[in-house]
Amino acid sequence: MNLPSPRTPDPLHAPPLNWGILAPGGIAATMVEALQRFTRQRVVAVGSRSAERGASFAQRFGIGRVHDSYEALVADPEVDAVYVASPHSHHRDHALLAIAAGKHVLVEKAFTRNAAEALEVVDAARAAGVACVEAMWTRFLPTTDIVRQLLASGALGEVETFTADHGQWFALDPASRLFAPGLAGGALLDLGVYPVSYASFVLGAPTGVVARGTLTETGVDRQVSAVLTYASAAQSVVHTTLAARTPTVAAISGSEARIELDGPFYTPRVVRLVTRDGEVHESAPPVIEGHLGLCHEAAHVAQLVADGASESPLLPWRETISVMETLDELRAQVGVRYPGE
């Protein structure tokens, strides 16, 4: 049995956009490297509140213009699209800033702090007629398209269970954004969003959520385990933690077969299909490996812009909001509320 080939376009084929990077941190550096290596996208400007940091980032990647404020970045007439890579706590404000300037936006996951903020951003993008996409990069990978086709074909039979975990170890540092309530820290928005979003991809919005968790001494979620239920008999079991490096694997189990994704499941992976009788079938290895797969989401945005579209069919606005609603409920059940909510 041959698994389906991914239909994901080569990111090199996407028409180029001029990108501005808002907040030049670690994930932004990985994105720029991915764009420069695997696409025709042009990173033309970077905006940072630290002139020194912005200049260093620009020099590292050969970026021509450095802005010492985000307002100046989004006002740059050479910038077509803005990649919002600031902390979760600021995604809403920075996305709205770019949209108000008429820029297309790719907003890092988690999209915002909560569903209400997500709706604000989506409504603004719709009114402005600009492309707006959550940077849940897993959705745009060739691996995910293979899974998408297997689910659509019924190869698994009736899906019974989705399981996934994402845990990483971080030293407790109250000054780090991961542990700061004011920066919307915690395991869920940074790590748990991956299994929660993938559960949505597989089974849609849950009808019920049961969660248990523990908090850090700073008051953000340290560890969360949850069972999500659906209108069908299916369930998702998801887990996240800031305090241990877990296997980060995922599986989709059905009446006829299961799909296995080795860790980290959210990166480009081999897809393994195991039938009920124990036959094993695997896809070819990914062409673009690791976090360099970030290039796919930016290429997707560029194609949306070329097509005159604002919303991604692979991750529609309604689903981005729905995932935030699930995360809101998980946070509520474990007792995490961010300042100002």
Side-chain angles (χ1 to χ4, degrees):
M1 176 183 178
N2 293 322
L3 298 191
S5 297
R7 301 162 298 187
T8 309
D10 184 336
L12 194 62
H13 295 163
L17 285 178
N18 288 344
W19 288 84
I21 305 298
L22 191 154
I27 191 63
T30 305
M31 172 63 87
V32 175
E33 180 185 358
L35 294 181
Q36 292 181 342
R37 288 183 58 178
F38 294 107
T39 78
R40 294 185 293 140
Q41 305 305 305
R42 297 181 291 256
V43 181
V44 300
V46 58
S48 177
R49 290 174 297 182
S50 164
E52 181 180 353
R53 189 179 188 189
S56 175
F57 190 90
Q59 182 178 25
R60 175 181 174 186
F61 293 106
I63 299 170
R65 288 193 298 288
V66 182
H67 297 288
D68 60 5
S69 73
Y70 300 144
E71 290 79 7
L73 174 72
V74 303
D76 188 330
E78 295 300 313
V79 171
D80 301 317
V82 172
Y83 173 55
V84 176
S86 51
H88 309 126
S89 53
H90 293 73
H91 285 181
R92 168 196 171 272
D93 291 348
H94 294 158
L96 291 176
L97 183 72
I99 290 168
K103 309 301 185 185
H104 309 288
V105 288
L106 176 62
V107 184
E108 255 308 326
K109 57 78 196 162
F111 190 64
T112 49
R113 292 188 304 174
N114 53 50
E117 291 183 351
L119 182 59
E120 281 187 78
V121 173
V122 164
D123 283 347
R126 182 183 290 111
V130 298
C132 175
V133 177
E134 177 190 1
M136 174 44 72
W137 64 296
T138 308
R139 290 298 184 97
F140 309 99
L141 298 176
T143 294
T144 306
D145 191 60
I146 296 172
V147 175
R148 184 181 289 112
Q149 293 180 70
L150 289 171
L151 291 171
S153 72
L156 274 62
E158 184 177 353
V159 174
E160 178 74 4
T161 308
F162 170 73
T163 59
D165 70 284
H166 189 183
Q168 304 290 343
W169 181 87
F170 298 96
L172 178 60
D173 177 5
S176 165
R177 67 171 183 84
L178 288 169
F179 295 95
L183 296 178
L188 277 169
L189 292 198
D190 205 70
L191 307 176
V193 64
Y194 283 105
V196 170
S197 182
Y198 212 99
S200 176
F201 165 65
V202 174
L203 289 165
T207 55
V209 175
V210 177
R212 295 292 183 269
T214 57
L215 307 184
T216 68
E217 62 186 48
T218 60
V220 299
D221 45 293
R222 168 193 174 109
Q223 178 171 212
V224 179
S225 299
V227 176
L228 313 180
T229 56
Y230 304 87
S232 66
Q235 295 183 347
S236 292
V237 181
V238 298
H239 172 262
T240 188
T241 177
L242 291 173
R245 189 165 187 174
T246 65
T248 63
V249 298
I252 309 166
S253 300
S255 56
E256 299 298 325
R258 71 177 180 271
I259 293 171
E260 297 176 344
L261 298 171
D262 294 335
F265 77 87
Y266 48 87
T267 67
R269 312 302 300 164
V270 167
V271 178
R272 185 182 308 113
L273 180 73
V274 183
T275 69
R276 193 172 59 197
D277 297 329
E279 295 179 6
V280 179
H281 309 275
E282 292 190 345
S283 67
V287 174
I288 299 173
E289 298 181 337
H291 282 74
L292 293 176
L294 287 168
C295 65
H296 288 285
E297 61 183 355
H300 182 72
V301 171
Q303 191 61 58
L304 288 178
V305 172
D307 294 341
S310 297
E311 182 177 5
S312 169
L314 301 182
L315 185 51
W317 290 334
R318 177 60 248 173
E319 188 173 3
T320 284
I321 295 168
S322 173
V323 168
M324 291 309 310
E325 289 170 342
T326 300
L327 292 169
D328 286 353
E329 180 60 25
L330 292 172
R331 281 200 296 118
Q333 290 193 24
V334 301
V336 174
R337 185 178 179 85
Y338 301 128
E341 282 192 305

